Amino acid sequence: MKEKEKRLFKALCKFKESAIDSDMIEFATPSVLGHLFFNRMQGVAYDTLKKSGLLGNVNREFRNSLGAAYYQNVQKNQSFRQCVVMLSEILSHCNCNAAMLKGAYLCAHYPDGYRTSNDVDLLVLPKDVTTIGNLLTAAGFKQGNIRNGEFIPATRQEIIESKMMRGETIPYIKEVNLPFMRFFEVDINFSLDYKNSNGDTLSSMLSNVRIINEKELSILTLSNEDFFIHLCSHLYKEATTLPWIKMYRDMTLYKYCDIYLLLSEMTDNQLYRVFNRAKELGLEKICAYAILETIGLFDMNNSVAYNMAIEAIADEPDFCLKVVSPKDKKMYIYQTADVNERFFMESRENDLKEVFSNEKT
C-alpha cells in the first residue's frame, strides 16, 4: 500500500476520533478496501464514513461493499445475540464458574454493526471442562470443525491432542440456521496461552465472575480488569506465536481495535487498577505489549497508559519484538521495531531472526 492509502485505512478504523479529512477520500482504493475486509474492519469503516458525511464522496463499489457488510453485521449480531442467550441458559445449570469472553460482550458493547463473532470463548478451570462439555453435548452440540461450510466431526485423537497441547478443547458446534449464522461455536479455554497451564491465574480470574448487562443482554463474564487483561493475553498469544504469523492471523486489526475501544474508555484510576491486577497475575508485560502495540497502530494519545506499559517492560525493552515457536521451542525476534511498518508487511515471517541460546540471556 502507498503511504496515503495507509493513512486513509487507519483513519477509517479510528472511530473514536474526529471526522475524516475529505481530501483523503481520493485514496479509497481497492487496496484499502481489501485491507478493511481482511482485518474485519469494514463495518467500522462504513459507519466512520457515514458519520463524517463522506459516503457519497467515495467510489460506488467501495461504498456499496462496505454498506452491505455493515448491514450484514447488524443482522448477524442479532443471530449471535440469540446464541448468547441460549448459552447463558445452558450455563445456568452448571455449579462451576465459567466466563464468556471477547465477542460475547464486545459485540454488544461496540456500536451496532462494528464487530461480529461466530463463536463464544468460555474460560473455565481444567477440572470443569468435562462438566461444561457434557452440558453442551446434552444441548445438541458436537465437537468438530467447520470446513468449506460443513461440519466435520472431530476424531478422538484430535480431541485428546487439543486438550493436551493447546489449552483448549476442540470446538463444540451446533447447527442453528440463523440469518448469517448457520453454526454456533463454543470454544472452552482452560489456559491463557498455547500451553495447558496458568492454574493459579485462572482460579483467581474465575473467582471474580460476574454478570454484565449490555443492551438488555446479560453476559456472564470476568471483572472489568480481568476481562481486559485476558483480551491482552489472547492478543499476545496469537501475535507472538509463529504458526499464527505463518497463517497471517497474528495482527488482524479487529483484535487491536478491541483494546483501542476499551482503553479509550478507561480513566487513569481504571488504568492503575488494570496494571496492579496484571502485576498480581504475573501478566503485566503481556498487558503492556497489547497496550503499546495498540497505541502505535491507532496513534493514541494516552501518556498514562504508555508510560505504565513502558515501565512494565523496562527490564526487557525488546519484549514486544519476541516471537516463540512452540513446536521446536525456538525464539525469534523482529528486525523491524515500528509496529506500523510490521503491520503493513507482506510477510512478517521474513522479518524474523532466530535468537540462539547465547543471545537469550
Side-chain angles (χ1 to χ4, degrees), residues 279-299:
K279 190 171 183 179
E280 285 178 17
L281 299 172
L283 297 172
E284 65 269 32
K285 286 186 178 180
I286 287 173
C287 194
Y289 173 94
I291 288 174
L292 290 172
E293 298 284 281
T294 300
I295 285 176
L297 286 170
F298 284 86
D299 306 312

Side-chain angles (χ1 to χ4, degrees), residues 243-269:
W244 287 86
I245 295 170
K246 289 184 174 182
M247 292 187 291
Y248 296 93
R249 295 177 61 191
D250 55 316
M251 288 186 74
T252 317
L253 194 65
Y254 82 93
K255 292 179 280 192
Y256 297 84
C257 192
D258 292 344
I259 304 296
Y260 166 68
L261 169 65
L262 298 181
L263 195 58
S264 67
E265 296 173 342
M266 287 187 196
T267 64
D268 291 350
N269 285 336

Side-chain angles (χ1 to χ4, degrees), residues 26 103 107 133 156 189 254 267 272 332 334:
E26 64 178 289
C107 286
R156 180 172 176 78
N189 298 267
Y254 82 93
T267 64
Y272 287 121
Y332 298 85
Y334 279 114

Side-chain angles (χ1 to χ4, degrees), residues 145-160:
N145 293 281
I146 305 300
R147 298 195 179 105
N148 299 318
E150 298 297 329
F151 174 76
I152 306 298
T155 65
R156 180 172 176 78
Q157 182 178 355
E158 287 173 335
I159 292 172
I160 294 172

Side-chain angles (χ1 to χ4, degrees), residues 132-148:
I132 300 291
N134 288 342
L135 284 172
L136 292 171
T137 300
F141 287 80
K142 298 178 181 178
Q143 284 188 274
N145 293 281
I146 305 300
R147 298 195 179 105
N148 299 318

Side-chain angles (χ1 to χ4, degrees), residues 103-324:
Y105 167 69
L106 290 168
C107 286
H109 188 61
Y110 271 100
D112 289 343
Y114 277 36
R115 195 190 194 282
T116 62
S117 181
N118 291 314
D119 57 35
V120 168
D121 287 87
L122 281 181
L123 189 65
V124 305
L125 292 174
K127 68 181 182 63
D128 296 325
V129 170
T130 300
T131 300
I132 300 291
N134 288 342
L135 284 172
L136 292 171
T137 300
F141 287 80
K142 298 178 181 178
Q143 284 188 274
N145 293 281
I146 305 300
R147 298 195 179 105
N148 299 318
E150 298 297 329
F151 174 76
I152 306 298
T155 65
R156 180 172 176 78
Q157 182 178 355
E158 287 173 335
I159 292 172
I160 294 172
E161 286 180 354
S162 183
K163 282 186 177 181
M164 295 294 292
M165 302 299 294
R166 296 172 56 196
E168 62 184 26
T169 64
I170 292 287
Y172 284 81
I173 297 172
K174 182 174 182 176
E175 188 166 1
V176 291
N177 289 314
L178 293 168
F180 299 107
M181 182 174 282
R182 180 183 172 190
F183 297 99
F184 175 48
E185 177 179 320
V186 177
D187 296 323
I188 303 177
N189 298 267
F190 49 93
S191 174
L192 297 179
D193 56 20
Y194 58 84
K195 304 180 290 296
N196 183 350
S197 59
N198 306 103
D200 291 342
T201 301
L202 287 180
S203 295
S204 181
M205 282 187 164
L206 288 168
S207 66
N208 292 320
V209 168
R210 66 196 185 98
I211 293 176
I212 293 179
N213 294 307
E214 188 75 28
K215 296 177 183 174
E216 300 181 356
L217 188 65
S218 295
I219 303 157
L220 186 67
T221 189
L222 302 173
S223 69
N224 288 342
E225 292 81 13
D226 286 354
F227 184 92
F228 182 80
I229 292 167
H230 175 270
L231 205 61
C232 292
S233 298
H234 191 84
L235 183 153
Y236 174 80
K237 176 182 72 172
E238 295 181 350
T240 64
T241 306
L242 187 60
W244 287 86
I245 295 170
K246 289 184 174 182
M247 292 187 291
Y248 296 93
R249 295 177 61 191
D250 55 316
M251 288 186 74
T252 317
L253 194 65
Y254 82 93
K255 292 179 280 192
Y256 297 84
C257 192
D258 292 344
I259 304 296
Y260 166 68
L261 169 65
L262 298 181
L263 195 58
S264 67
E265 296 173 342
M266 287 187 196
T267 64
D268 291 350
N269 285 336
Q270 288 171 326
L271 272 168
Y272 287 121
R273 288 201 295 271
V274 164
F275 270 97
N276 287 337
R277 177 62 170 160
K279 190 171 183 179
E280 285 178 17
L281 299 172
L283 297 172
E284 65 269 32
K285 286 186 178 180
I286 287 173
C287 194
Y289 173 94
I291 288 174
L292 290 172
E293 298 284 281
T294 300
I295 285 176
L297 286 170
F298 284 86
D299 306 312
M300 296 183 73
N301 182 19
N302 190 328
S303 59
V304 174
Y306 178 83
N307 290 333
M308 293 181 74
I310 288 294
E311 183 180 351
I313 61 168
D315 65 338
E316 196 175 355
D318 60 354
F319 182 79
C320 292
L321 303 177
K322 292 181 177 179
V323 168
V324 66

